[in-house]
Amino acid sequence: MTANNRRPLIIIAAFAISLAIGLLALFSLGGLRHVTPAATIGGPFQLSDQNGQRVTEQSLKGKPTLIFFGFTRCPDVCPTALFEMTELLRAMGPDGDRINVYFVSVDPERDTAASLKEYLSSFDERIKGLSGDPAAVANIMTSYRVYARKVPLKDGDYTMDHTALVYLMDRDGRFVAPFDIKRKPDVAAADLKRYL
């Protein structure tokens, strides 16, 4: 065997030895226990609903929960999402009472309890609107990894650019996955019923 023919074998052998040493070091240090876990979604919060009732992360427990972040002056994304959640609750029949649905404002300066109550009157009464002081809203947005920012308008007013995702939390208040409400209501309802 010539030197040129031995070279690939030496490279493969060196790689195999390096891999073996790396795996040995990993498992001698406790295996994968020290690997940083994936970032969590959710956490402690304290807000109020449109009726002035206090809502915290403990309120999520016992029922699966859908959470959507938006604002009452949203021109299209938010009302569409709330309409789709209304249709989902209708399609769930009596089981619709066994889930929580929260609409969390990303515009606490304008979204008071009164404005949330008026806005949500066009949708299913089981949808709760949540808001609070700017610090409390910023806290829940951070916990759920929600992006939102003011976008100035020509007339001096502003709109909000924000994450448009529906979060599904399980009965223990833990994040499961984004929930697709763009499906036919009966299909989405059948999927959600699996978490009851």
Side-chain angles (χ1 to χ4, degrees):
M1 186 176 279
T2 67
N4 286 340
N5 290 344
R6 282 191 300 237
R7 188 167 189 198
L9 294 176
I10 292 171
I11 292 172
I12 291 171
F15 173 76
I17 291 169
S18 298
L19 181 62
I21 291 171
L23 289 173
L24 180 63
L26 175 69
F27 289 109
S28 68
L29 293 174
L32 299 175
R33 289 180 303 164
H34 300 291
V35 174
T36 304
T40 56
I41 292 177
F45 68 88
Q46 183 173 330
L47 298 171
S48 296
D49 72 14
Q50 71 267 37
N51 298 312
Q53 299 296 311
R54 183 171 169 259
V55 178
T56 72
E57 73 282 355
Q58 296 301 315
S59 305
L60 279 56
K61 295 189 176 177
K63 298 179 178 181
T65 301
L66 297 178
I67 302 175
F68 179 76
F69 291 80
F71 65 113
T72 62
R73 296 182 189 204
C74 181
D76 48 27
V77 173
C78 300
T80 299
L82 291 167
F83 172 76
E84 290 165 342
M85 285 191 261
T86 295
E87 291 298 294
L88 168 64
L89 288 166
R90 183 194 51 75
M92 290 195 70
D95 285 333
D97 294 335
R98 298 173 58 199
I99 65 167
N100 297 312
V101 181
Y102 293 114
F103 172 69
V104 183
S105 173
V106 297
D107 187 12
E109 293 175 34
R110 298 186 296 194
D111 288 346
T112 62
S115 64
L116 281 167
K117 189 169 194 169
E118 180 181 349
Y119 182 69
L120 291 172
S121 67
S122 299
F123 306 102
D124 191 285
E125 63 186 15
R126 293 169 285 194
I127 299 173
K128 303 294 183 199
L130 304 182
S131 192
D133 65 60
V137 171
N139 177 58
I140 190 171
M141 287 172 52
T142 299
S143 295
Y144 281 81
R145 311 207 182 288
V146 171
Y147 162 82
R149 72 175 181 91
K150 286 183 182 180
V151 178
L153 300 174
K154 291 178 183 177
D155 61 2
D157 200 2
Y158 67 91
T159 187
M160 299 294 294
D161 188 14
H162 63 91
T163 300
L165 187 71
V166 177
Y167 296 80
L168 171 60
M169 312 301 281
D170 69 14
R171 294 166 49 90
D172 295 319
R174 293 180 304 230
F175 176 69
V176 176
F179 190 78
D180 181 8
I181 58 171
K182 302 288 183 199
R183 299 171 280 180
K184 290 183 179 179
D186 56 330
V187 173
D191 185 16
L192 189 54
K193 284 179 181 182
R194 297 185 303 124
Y195 297 94
L196 292 175

